[in-house]
Amino acid sequence: MNKKPLILVVEDDVPVRNLMSTTLKTHEYKYLTAPTGREAVLLASSHNPDVVFLDLGLPDLDGVEVIRQIRSWSNMPIIVISARSEDEDKIAALDAGADDYLTKPFSVEELLARLRATIRRLSVMNSSGADSSVYTNGPLRIDYPAGCAFLYEEELKLTPIEFKLLCLLAKNTGKVLTHTYITQNIWGRSWDNDIASLRVFMVTLRKKLETAPDTPEFIQTHVGIGYRMLKVE
Ligand code: CA
């Protein structure tokens, strides 16, 4: 991304909004701010920002509704901001298509780190082409049409479900996928015992994929929320 990224900050809390915009300004990002959901949707469509930071508790529209409206026409990255007590809202936001989340209170460093990770993912997606049939991430390579995956050029012996799970996470690298989203995509439903099965499949997949399954390099766990495939340098 050569031009300066444009960030849309949606937050009704004035001190938080000021902190965010000052931080962005200091680090030479361009930004727009919106204090309400309606203004957020309007600015998102008129300015097509590169990344949206979206507070979930807004005075007019529910943050999840803002995501649904933006997602009806755009895949722009959306990072939701919520308080720790709003875990259910956070999960609903991720299910509606948010890419990542920040939990209040957050530090300026966390904000900038999430932003950099999101922008890096955008440039990777733009350069590799969305319909690429081979995925590479560090030593991991997935040949989607052939249905096989390799780690350091050695084929991983994956079961069909493990392969499906790996592909789903890979196709959404950098994005947090909720338990519900994953189970619906793998099994077409999301019952409590499917989430339990997902945990079991994740253990076996990690044993094959990760050099040290207890300190995973590829698949990150978000306790009570889901999993994310990380971009390995
Ligand atoms: Ca708020």
PDB file of all heavy atoms in Angstrom, residues 23-59:
ATOM      1  N   THR A  23      -3.637   9.426  18.160  1.00  0.00           N
ATOM      2  CA  THR A  23      -2.670   8.361  17.882  1.00  0.00           C
ATOM      3  C   THR A  23      -2.470   8.189  16.377  1.00  0.00           C
ATOM      4  O   THR A  23      -1.342   8.100  15.889  1.00  0.00           O
ATOM      5  CB  THR A  23      -3.177   7.030  18.483  1.00  0.00           C
ATOM      6  OG1 THR A  23      -3.403   7.226  19.869  1.00  0.00           O
ATOM      7  CG2 THR A  23      -2.163   5.916  18.291  1.00  0.00           C
ATOM      8  N   LEU A  24      -3.586   8.162  15.643  1.00  0.00           N
ATOM      9  CA  LEU A  24      -3.492   7.965  14.190  1.00  0.00           C
ATOM     10  C   LEU A  24      -2.753   9.122  13.528  1.00  0.00           C
ATOM     11  O   LEU A  24      -1.915   8.927  12.653  1.00  0.00           O
ATOM     12  CB  LEU A  24      -4.894   7.799  13.592  1.00  0.00           C
ATOM     13  CG  LEU A  24      -5.635   6.523  14.016  1.00  0.00           C
ATOM     14  CD1 LEU A  24      -7.069   6.550  13.526  1.00  0.00           C
ATOM     15  CD2 LEU A  24      -4.911   5.285  13.493  1.00  0.00           C
ATOM     16  N   LYS A  25      -3.077  10.325  14.005  1.00  0.00           N
ATOM     17  CA  LYS A  25      -2.451  11.523  13.452  1.00  0.00           C
ATOM     18  C   LYS A  25      -0.942  11.496  13.699  1.00  0.00           C
ATOM     19  O   LYS A  25      -0.146  11.751  12.791  1.00  0.00           O
ATOM     20  CB  LYS A  25      -3.068  12.743  14.139  1.00  0.00           C
ATOM     21  CG  LYS A  25      -2.838  14.048  13.431  1.00  0.00           C
ATOM     22  CD  LYS A  25      -3.685  15.078  14.152  1.00  0.00           C
ATOM     23  CE  LYS A  25      -3.481  16.464  13.632  1.00  0.00           C
ATOM     24  NZ  LYS A  25      -4.400  17.389  14.339  1.00  0.00           N
ATOM     25  N   THR A  26      -0.550  11.180  14.941  1.00  0.00           N
ATOM     26  CA  THR A  26       0.866  11.119  15.307  1.00  0.00           C
ATOM     27  C   THR A  26       1.616  10.128  14.421  1.00  0.00           C
ATOM     28  O   THR A  26       2.784  10.329  14.096  1.00  0.00           O
ATOM     29  CB  THR A  26       1.020  10.689  16.787  1.00  0.00           C
ATOM     30  OG1 THR A  26       0.131  11.480  17.557  1.00  0.00           O
ATOM     31  CG2 THR A  26       2.426  10.880  17.293  1.00  0.00           C
ATOM     32  N   HIS A  27       0.938   9.027  14.044  1.00  0.00           N
ATOM     33  CA  HIS A  27       1.606   8.002  13.238  1.00  0.00           C
ATOM     34  C   HIS A  27       1.315   8.165  11.754  1.00  0.00           C
ATOM     35  O   HIS A  27       1.479   7.228  10.987  1.00  0.00           O
ATOM     36  CB  HIS A  27       1.252   6.614  13.760  1.00  0.00           C
ATOM     37  CG  HIS A  27       1.868   6.358  15.098  1.00  0.00           C
ATOM     38  ND1 HIS A  27       1.309   6.800  16.280  1.00  0.00           N
ATOM     39  CD2 HIS A  27       3.037   5.772  15.439  1.00  0.00           C
ATOM     40  CE1 HIS A  27       2.095   6.483  17.282  1.00  0.00           C
ATOM     41  NE2 HIS A  27       3.139   5.865  16.808  1.00  0.00           N
ATOM     42  N   GLU A  28       0.862   9.358  11.398  1.00  0.00           N
ATOM     43  CA  GLU A  28       0.690   9.738   9.995  1.00  0.00           C
ATOM     44  C   GLU A  28      -0.278   8.878   9.204  1.00  0.00           C
ATOM     45  O   GLU A  28      -0.068   8.583   8.034  1.00  0.00           O
ATOM     46  CB  GLU A  28       2.066   9.810   9.297  1.00  0.00           C
ATOM     47  CG  GLU A  28       2.944  10.844   9.997  1.00  0.00           C
ATOM     48  CD  GLU A  28       4.271  11.075   9.288  1.00  0.00           C
ATOM     49  OE1 GLU A  28       4.736  10.152   8.604  1.00  0.00           O
ATOM     50  OE2 GLU A  28       4.802  12.184   9.428  1.00  0.00           O
ATOM     51  N   TYR A  29      -1.351   8.448   9.880  1.00  0.00           N
ATOM     52  CA  TYR A  29      -2.447   7.834   9.142  1.00  0.00           C
ATOM     53  C   TYR A  29      -3.445   8.929   8.833  1.00  0.00           C
ATOM     54  O   TYR A  29      -3.572   9.897   9.589  1.00  0.00           O
ATOM     55  CB  TYR A  29      -3.152   6.779   9.998  1.00  0.00           C
ATOM     56  CG  TYR A  29      -2.344   5.528  10.228  1.00  0.00           C
ATOM     57  CD1 TYR A  29      -1.689   5.317  11.437  1.00  0.00           C
ATOM     58  CD2 TYR A  29      -2.253   4.554   9.237  1.00  0.00           C
ATOM     59  CE1 TYR A  29      -0.955   4.161  11.664  1.00  0.00           C
ATOM     60  CE2 TYR A  29      -1.518   3.392   9.466  1.00  0.00           C
ATOM     61  CZ  TYR A  29      -0.870   3.213  10.675  1.00  0.00           C
ATOM     62  OH  TYR A  29      -0.148   2.068  10.901  1.00  0.00           O
ATOM     63  N   LYS A  30      -4.180   8.762   7.730  1.00  0.00           N
ATOM     64  CA  LYS A  30      -5.306   9.657   7.488  1.00  0.00           C
ATOM     65  C   LYS A  30      -6.498   9.053   8.212  1.00  0.00           C
ATOM     66  O   LYS A  30      -6.623   7.832   8.293  1.00  0.00           O
ATOM     67  CB  LYS A  30      -5.600   9.742   5.986  1.00  0.00           C
ATOM     68  CG  LYS A  30      -4.535  10.536   5.227  1.00  0.00           C
ATOM     69  CD  LYS A  30      -4.999  10.814   3.810  1.00  0.00           C
ATOM     70  CE  LYS A  30      -5.110   9.526   3.011  1.00  0.00           C
ATOM     71  NZ  LYS A  30      -5.586   9.713   1.648  1.00  0.00           N
ATOM     72  N   TYR A  31      -7.375   9.873   8.736  1.00  0.00           N
ATOM     73  CA  TYR A  31      -8.518   9.305   9.450  1.00  0.00           C
ATOM     74  C   TYR A  31      -9.755  10.175   9.310  1.00  0.00           C
ATOM     75  O   TYR A  31      -9.682  11.371   9.002  1.00  0.00           O
ATOM     76  CB  TYR A  31      -8.189   9.102  10.930  1.00  0.00           C
ATOM     77  CG  TYR A  31      -7.991  10.394  11.686  1.00  0.00           C
ATOM     78  CD1 TYR A  31      -9.070  11.027  12.323  1.00  0.00           C
ATOM     79  CD2 TYR A  31      -6.748  11.005  11.734  1.00  0.00           C
ATOM     80  CE1 TYR A  31      -8.896  12.229  12.984  1.00  0.00           C
ATOM     81  CE2 TYR A  31      -6.571  12.214  12.394  1.00  0.00           C
ATOM     82  CZ  TYR A  31      -7.647  12.809  13.020  1.00  0.00           C
ATOM     83  OH  TYR A  31      -7.478  13.996  13.663  1.00  0.00           O
ATOM     84  N   LEU A  32     -10.896   9.516   9.556  1.00  0.00           N
ATOM     85  CA  LEU A  32     -12.192  10.180   9.619  1.00  0.00           C
ATOM     86  C   LEU A  32     -12.822   9.706  10.912  1.00  0.00           C
ATOM     87  O   LEU A  32     -12.528   8.594  11.356  1.00  0.00           O
ATOM     88  CB  LEU A  32     -13.093   9.699   8.480  1.00  0.00           C
ATOM     89  CG  LEU A  32     -12.695  10.011   7.058  1.00  0.00           C
ATOM     90  CD1 LEU A  32     -13.465   9.076   6.126  1.00  0.00           C
ATOM     91  CD2 LEU A  32     -13.049  11.462   6.749  1.00  0.00           C
ATOM     92  N   THR A  33     -13.698  10.497  11.508  1.00  0.00           N
ATOM     93  CA  THR A  33     -14.369  10.015  12.712  1.00  0.00           C
ATOM     94  C   THR A  33     -15.876  10.118  12.546  1.00  0.00           C
ATOM     95  O   THR A  33     -16.382  10.995  11.841  1.00  0.00           O
ATOM     96  CB  THR A  33     -13.964  10.813  13.972  1.00  0.00           C
ATOM     97  OG1 THR A  33     -14.342  12.182  13.777  1.00  0.00           O
ATOM     98  CG2 THR A  33     -12.475  10.728  14.252  1.00  0.00           C
ATOM     99  N   ALA A  34     -16.577   9.192  13.204  1.00  0.00           N
ATOM    100  CA  ALA A  34     -18.041   9.219  13.221  1.00  0.00           C
ATOM    101  C   ALA A  34     -18.503   8.873  14.629  1.00  0.00           C
ATOM    102  O   ALA A  34     -18.032   7.897  15.204  1.00  0.00           O
ATOM    103  CB  ALA A  34     -18.585   8.204  12.222  1.00  0.00           C
ATOM    104  N   PRO A  35     -19.402   9.682  15.207  1.00  0.00           N
ATOM    105  CA  PRO A  35     -19.880   9.392  16.549  1.00  0.00           C
ATOM    106  C   PRO A  35     -21.121   8.494  16.572  1.00  0.00           C
ATOM    107  O   PRO A  35     -21.545   8.046  17.636  1.00  0.00           O
ATOM    108  CB  PRO A  35     -20.224  10.781  17.101  1.00  0.00           C
ATOM    109  CG  PRO A  35     -20.580  11.589  15.895  1.00  0.00           C
ATOM    110  CD  PRO A  35     -19.855  10.992  14.717  1.00  0.00           C
ATOM    111  N   THR A  36     -21.709   8.218  15.429  1.00  0.00           N
ATOM    112  CA  THR A  36     -22.930   7.386  15.392  1.00  0.00           C
ATOM    113  C   THR A  36     -22.817   6.320  14.299  1.00  0.00           C
ATOM    114  O   THR A  36     -21.997   6.430  13.391  1.00  0.00           O
ATOM    115  CB  THR A  36     -24.190   8.231  15.070  1.00  0.00           C
ATOM    116  OG1 THR A  36     -24.044   8.751  13.728  1.00  0.00           O
ATOM    117  CG2 THR A  36     -24.387   9.383  16.026  1.00  0.00           C
ATOM    118  N   GLY A  37     -23.694   5.326  14.399  1.00  0.00           N
ATOM    119  CA  GLY A  37     -23.708   4.242  13.419  1.00  0.00           C
ATOM    120  C   GLY A  37     -24.119   4.726  12.037  1.00  0.00           C
ATOM    121  O   GLY A  37     -23.558   4.306  11.034  1.00  0.00           O
ATOM    122  N   ARG A  38     -25.118   5.624  11.992  1.00  0.00           N
ATOM    123  CA  ARG A  38     -25.599   6.110  10.689  1.00  0.00           C
ATOM    124  C   ARG A  38     -24.507   6.883   9.958  1.00  0.00           C
ATOM    125  O   ARG A  38     -24.297   6.707   8.770  1.00  0.00           O
ATOM    126  CB  ARG A  38     -26.846   6.976  10.857  1.00  0.00           C
ATOM    127  CG  ARG A  38     -28.054   6.133  11.135  1.00  0.00           C
ATOM    128  CD  ARG A  38     -29.381   6.853  10.957  1.00  0.00           C
ATOM    129  NE  ARG A  38     -30.443   5.922  11.274  1.00  0.00           N
ATOM    130  CZ  ARG A  38     -30.843   5.636  12.510  1.00  0.00           C
ATOM    131  NH1 ARG A  38     -30.295   6.257  13.545  1.00  0.00           N
ATOM    132  NH2 ARG A  38     -31.782   4.745  12.722  1.00  0.00           N
ATOM    133  N   GLU A  39     -23.800   7.743  10.716  1.00  0.00           N
ATOM    134  CA  GLU A  39     -22.697   8.487  10.090  1.00  0.00           C
ATOM    135  C   GLU A  39     -21.596   7.537   9.636  1.00  0.00           C
ATOM    136  O   GLU A  39     -20.962   7.752   8.600  1.00  0.00           O
ATOM    137  CB  GLU A  39     -22.113   9.494  11.081  1.00  0.00           C
ATOM    138  CG  GLU A  39     -22.806  10.842  11.001  1.00  0.00           C
ATOM    139  CD  GLU A  39     -22.177  11.836  11.957  1.00  0.00           C
ATOM    140  OE1 GLU A  39     -21.036  12.263  11.703  1.00  0.00           O
ATOM    141  OE2 GLU A  39     -22.826  12.153  12.970  1.00  0.00           O
ATOM    142  N   ALA A  40     -21.377   6.474  10.420  1.00  0.00           N
ATOM    143  CA  ALA A  40     -20.347   5.489  10.068  1.00  0.00           C
ATOM    144  C   ALA A  40     -20.666   4.856   8.714  1.00  0.00           C
ATOM    145  O   ALA A  40     -19.802   4.775   7.843  1.00  0.00           O
ATOM    146  CB  ALA A  40     -20.269   4.418  11.151  1.00  0.00           C
ATOM    147  N   VAL A  41     -21.905   4.420   8.533  1.00  0.00           N
ATOM    148  CA  VAL A  41     -22.300   3.766   7.284  1.00  0.00           C
ATOM    149  C   VAL A  41     -22.151   4.744   6.113  1.00  0.00           C
ATOM    150  O   VAL A  41     -21.638   4.402   5.048  1.00  0.00           O
ATOM    151  CB  VAL A  41     -23.752   3.229   7.390  1.00  0.00           C
ATOM    152  CG1 VAL A  41     -24.241   2.706   6.042  1.00  0.00           C
ATOM    153  CG2 VAL A  41     -23.838   2.133   8.448  1.00  0.00           C
ATOM    154  N   LEU A  42     -22.548   5.973   6.360  1.00  0.00           N
ATOM    155  CA  LEU A  42     -22.473   7.016   5.326  1.00  0.00           C
ATOM    156  C   LEU A  42     -21.013   7.285   4.914  1.00  0.00           C
ATOM    157  O   LEU A  42     -20.679   7.288   3.726  1.00  0.00           O
ATOM    158  CB  LEU A  42     -23.089   8.290   5.909  1.00  0.00           C
ATOM    159  CG  LEU A  42     -23.720   9.261   4.931  1.00  0.00           C
ATOM    160  CD1 LEU A  42     -24.909   8.574   4.257  1.00  0.00           C
ATOM    161  CD2 LEU A  42     -24.186  10.527   5.664  1.00  0.00           C
ATOM    162  N   LEU A  43     -20.144   7.479   5.921  1.00  0.00           N
ATOM    163  CA  LEU A  43     -18.728   7.753   5.632  1.00  0.00           C
ATOM    164  C   LEU A  43     -18.034   6.547   5.003  1.00  0.00           C
ATOM    165  O   LEU A  43     -17.185   6.698   4.133  1.00  0.00           O
ATOM    166  CB  LEU A  43     -17.991   8.159   6.911  1.00  0.00           C
ATOM    167  CG  LEU A  43     -18.257   9.567   7.432  1.00  0.00           C
ATOM    168  CD1 LEU A  43     -17.513   9.788   8.749  1.00  0.00           C
ATOM    169  CD2 LEU A  43     -17.832  10.623   6.407  1.00  0.00           C
ATOM    170  N   ALA A  44     -18.421   5.347   5.448  1.00  0.00           N
ATOM    171  CA  ALA A  44     -17.815   4.134   4.876  1.00  0.00           C
ATOM    172  C   ALA A  44     -18.143   4.054   3.389  1.00  0.00           C
ATOM    173  O   ALA A  44     -17.282   3.726   2.575  1.00  0.00           O
ATOM    174  CB  ALA A  44     -18.315   2.893   5.609  1.00  0.00           C
ATOM    175  N   SER A  45     -19.377   4.406   3.017  1.00  0.00           N
ATOM    176  CA  SER A  45     -19.743   4.300   1.598  1.00  0.00           C
ATOM    177  C   SER A  45     -19.209   5.464   0.779  1.00  0.00           C
ATOM    178  O   SER A  45     -18.836   5.292  -0.372  1.00  0.00           O
ATOM    179  CB  SER A  45     -21.259   4.162   1.438  1.00  0.00           C
ATOM    180  OG  SER A  45     -21.881   5.336   1.880  1.00  0.00           O
ATOM    181  N   SER A  46     -19.103   6.656   1.371  1.00  0.00           N
ATOM    182  CA  SER A  46     -18.635   7.798   0.578  1.00  0.00           C
ATOM    183  C   SER A  46     -17.109   7.868   0.483  1.00  0.00           C
ATOM    184  O   SER A  46     -16.579   8.369  -0.495  1.00  0.00           O
ATOM    185  CB  SER A  46     -19.194   9.106   1.142  1.00  0.00           C
ATOM    186  OG  SER A  46     -18.791   9.269   2.488  1.00  0.00           O
ATOM    187  N   HIS A  47     -16.370   7.352   1.485  1.00  0.00           N
ATOM    188  CA  HIS A  47     -14.915   7.492   1.488  1.00  0.00           C
ATOM    189  C   HIS A  47     -14.142   6.189   1.325  1.00  0.00           C
ATOM    190  O   HIS A  47     -12.931   6.229   1.182  1.00  0.00           O
ATOM    191  CB  HIS A  47     -14.441   8.197   2.768  1.00  0.00           C
ATOM    192  CG  HIS A  47     -14.784   9.649   2.792  1.00  0.00           C
ATOM    193  ND1 HIS A  47     -16.067  10.104   3.029  1.00  0.00           N
ATOM    194  CD2 HIS A  47     -14.027  10.745   2.583  1.00  0.00           C
ATOM    195  CE1 HIS A  47     -16.069  11.421   2.980  1.00  0.00           C
ATOM    196  NE2 HIS A  47     -14.847  11.835   2.712  1.00  0.00           N
ATOM    197  N   ASN A  48     -14.850   5.062   1.372  1.00  0.00           N
ATOM    198  CA  ASN A  48     -14.215   3.756   1.187  1.00  0.00           C
ATOM    199  C   ASN A  48     -12.890   3.626   1.966  1.00  0.00           C
ATOM    200  O   ASN A  48     -11.832   3.415   1.377  1.00  0.00           O
ATOM    201  CB  ASN A  48     -13.986   3.541  -0.315  1.00  0.00           C
ATOM    202  CG  ASN A  48     -13.767   2.089  -0.634  1.00  0.00           C
ATOM    203  OD1 ASN A  48     -14.270   1.220   0.079  1.00  0.00           O
ATOM    204  ND2 ASN A  48     -12.993   1.811  -1.671  1.00  0.00           N
ATOM    205  N   PRO A  49     -12.952   3.722   3.304  1.00  0.00           N
ATOM    206  CA  PRO A  49     -11.722   3.663   4.101  1.00  0.00           C
ATOM    207  C   PRO A  49     -11.026   2.308   3.970  1.00  0.00           C
ATOM    208  O   PRO A  49     -11.645   1.322   3.567  1.00  0.00           O
ATOM    209  CB  PRO A  49     -12.214   3.881   5.530  1.00  0.00           C
ATOM    210  CG  PRO A  49     -13.646   3.512   5.508  1.00  0.00           C
ATOM    211  CD  PRO A  49     -14.150   3.845   4.144  1.00  0.00           C
ATOM    212  N   ASP A  50      -9.723   2.257   4.320  1.00  0.00           N
ATOM    213  CA  ASP A  50      -8.968   1.006   4.250  1.00  0.00           C
ATOM    214  C   ASP A  50      -9.264   0.111   5.445  1.00  0.00           C
ATOM    215  O   ASP A  50      -9.246  -1.111   5.322  1.00  0.00           O
ATOM    216  CB  ASP A  50      -7.468   1.312   4.182  1.00  0.00           C
ATOM    217  CG  ASP A  50      -7.129   2.073   2.909  1.00  0.00           C
ATOM    218  OD1 ASP A  50      -7.294   1.479   1.831  1.00  0.00           O
ATOM    219  OD2 ASP A  50      -6.749   3.256   2.991  1.00  0.00           O
ATOM    220  N   VAL A  51      -9.485   0.737   6.606  1.00  0.00           N
ATOM    221  CA  VAL A  51      -9.782  -0.016   7.831  1.00  0.00           C
ATOM    222  C   VAL A  51     -10.812   0.771   8.645  1.00  0.00           C
ATOM    223  O   VAL A  51     -10.753   1.998   8.692  1.00  0.00           O
ATOM    224  CB  VAL A  51      -8.510  -0.227   8.696  1.00  0.00           C
ATOM    225  CG1 VAL A  51      -8.835  -0.999   9.976  1.00  0.00           C
ATOM    226  CG2 VAL A  51      -7.408  -0.944   7.915  1.00  0.00           C
ATOM    227  N   VAL A  52     -11.743   0.051   9.294  1.00  0.00           N
ATOM    228  CA  VAL A  52     -12.724   0.692  10.178  1.00  0.00           C
ATOM    229  C   VAL A  52     -12.511   0.190  11.603  1.00  0.00           C
ATOM    230  O   VAL A  52     -12.424  -1.021  11.826  1.00  0.00           O
ATOM    231  CB  VAL A  52     -14.175   0.351   9.753  1.00  0.00           C
ATOM    232  CG1 VAL A  52     -15.188   1.053  10.668  1.00  0.00           C
ATOM    233  CG2 VAL A  52     -14.426   0.726   8.298  1.00  0.00           C
ATOM    234  N   PHE A  53     -12.385   1.110  12.554  1.00  0.00           N
ATOM    235  CA  PHE A  53     -12.456   0.769  13.974  1.00  0.00           C
ATOM    236  C   PHE A  53     -13.870   1.087  14.415  1.00  0.00           C
ATOM    237  O   PHE A  53     -14.327   2.223  14.268  1.00  0.00           O
ATOM    238  CB  PHE A  53     -11.477   1.615  14.807  1.00  0.00           C
ATOM    239  CG  PHE A  53     -10.069   1.092  14.776  1.00  0.00           C
ATOM    240  CD1 PHE A  53      -9.084   1.750  14.052  1.00  0.00           C
ATOM    241  CD2 PHE A  53      -9.727  -0.051  15.485  1.00  0.00           C
ATOM    242  CE1 PHE A  53      -7.778   1.271  14.038  1.00  0.00           C
ATOM    243  CE2 PHE A  53      -8.423  -0.534  15.470  1.00  0.00           C
ATOM    244  CZ  PHE A  53      -7.451   0.118  14.746  1.00  0.00           C
ATOM    245  N   LEU A  54     -14.576   0.099  14.931  1.00  0.00           N
ATOM    246  CA  LEU A  54     -15.995   0.280  15.233  1.00  0.00           C
ATOM    247  C   LEU A  54     -16.319  -0.067  16.678  1.00  0.00           C
ATOM    248  O   LEU A  54     -16.204  -1.221  17.096  1.00  0.00           O
ATOM    249  CB  LEU A  54     -16.819  -0.621  14.287  1.00  0.00           C
ATOM    250  CG  LEU A  54     -18.311  -0.690  14.516  1.00  0.00           C
ATOM    251  CD1 LEU A  54     -18.995   0.628  14.181  1.00  0.00           C
ATOM    252  CD2 LEU A  54     -18.923  -1.815  13.678  1.00  0.00           C
ATOM    253  N   ASP A  55     -16.735   0.927  17.433  1.00  0.00           N
ATOM    254  CA  ASP A  55     -17.221   0.703  18.791  1.00  0.00           C
ATOM    255  C   ASP A  55     -18.581   0.021  18.664  1.00  0.00           C
ATOM    256  O   ASP A  55     -19.390   0.395  17.808  1.00  0.00           O
ATOM    257  CB  ASP A  55     -17.361   2.072  19.490  1.00  0.00           C
ATOM    258  CG  ASP A  55     -17.970   1.957  20.861  1.00  0.00           C
ATOM    259  OD1 ASP A  55     -17.753   0.926  21.529  1.00  0.00           O
ATOM    260  OD2 ASP A  55     -18.663   2.907  21.275  1.00  0.00           O
ATOM    261  N   LEU A  56     -18.842  -0.995  19.495  1.00  0.00           N
ATOM    262  CA  LEU A  56     -20.108  -1.730  19.351  1.00  0.00           C
ATOM    263  C   LEU A  56     -21.279  -1.034  20.042  1.00  0.00           C
ATOM    264  O   LEU A  56     -22.419  -1.179  19.637  1.00  0.00           O
ATOM    265  CB  LEU A  56     -19.963  -3.153  19.890  1.00  0.00           C
ATOM    266  CG  LEU A  56     -19.120  -4.093  19.030  1.00  0.00           C
ATOM    267  CD1 LEU A  56     -19.063  -5.464  19.684  1.00  0.00           C
ATOM    268  CD2 LEU A  56     -19.666  -4.200  17.615  1.00  0.00           C
ATOM    269  N   GLY A  57     -20.978  -0.249  21.100  1.00  0.00           N
ATOM    270  CA  GLY A  57     -22.060   0.423  21.822  1.00  0.00           C
ATOM    271  C   GLY A  57     -22.240   1.842  21.318  1.00  0.00           C
ATOM    272  O   GLY A  57     -21.594   2.761  21.802  1.00  0.00           O
ATOM    273  N   LEU A  58     -23.114   1.995  20.320  1.00  0.00           N
ATOM    274  CA  LEU A  58     -23.336   3.321  19.731  1.00  0.00           C
ATOM    275  C   LEU A  58     -24.724   3.823  20.097  1.00  0.00           C
ATOM    276  O   LEU A  58     -25.619   3.031  20.376  1.00  0.00           O
ATOM    277  CB  LEU A  58     -23.188   3.241  18.205  1.00  0.00           C
ATOM    278  CG  LEU A  58     -21.780   2.892  17.718  1.00  0.00           C
ATOM    279  CD1 LEU A  58     -21.801   2.528  16.249  1.00  0.00           C
ATOM    280  CD2 LEU A  58     -20.819   4.044  17.981  1.00  0.00           C
ATOM    281  N   PRO A  59     -24.923   5.154  20.076  1.00  0.00           N
ATOM    282  CA  PRO A  59     -26.208   5.694  20.536  1.00  0.00           C
ATOM    283  C   PRO A  59     -27.389   5.377  19.611  1.00  0.00           C
ATOM    284  O   PRO A  59     -28.525   5.300  20.080  1.00  0.00           O
ATOM    285  CB  PRO A  59     -25.960   7.207  20.599  1.00  0.00           C
ATOM    286  CG  PRO A  59     -24.768   7.450  19.754  1.00  0.00           C
ATOM    287  CD  PRO A  59     -23.954   6.202  19.782  1.00  0.00           C
TER     288      PRO A  59
END
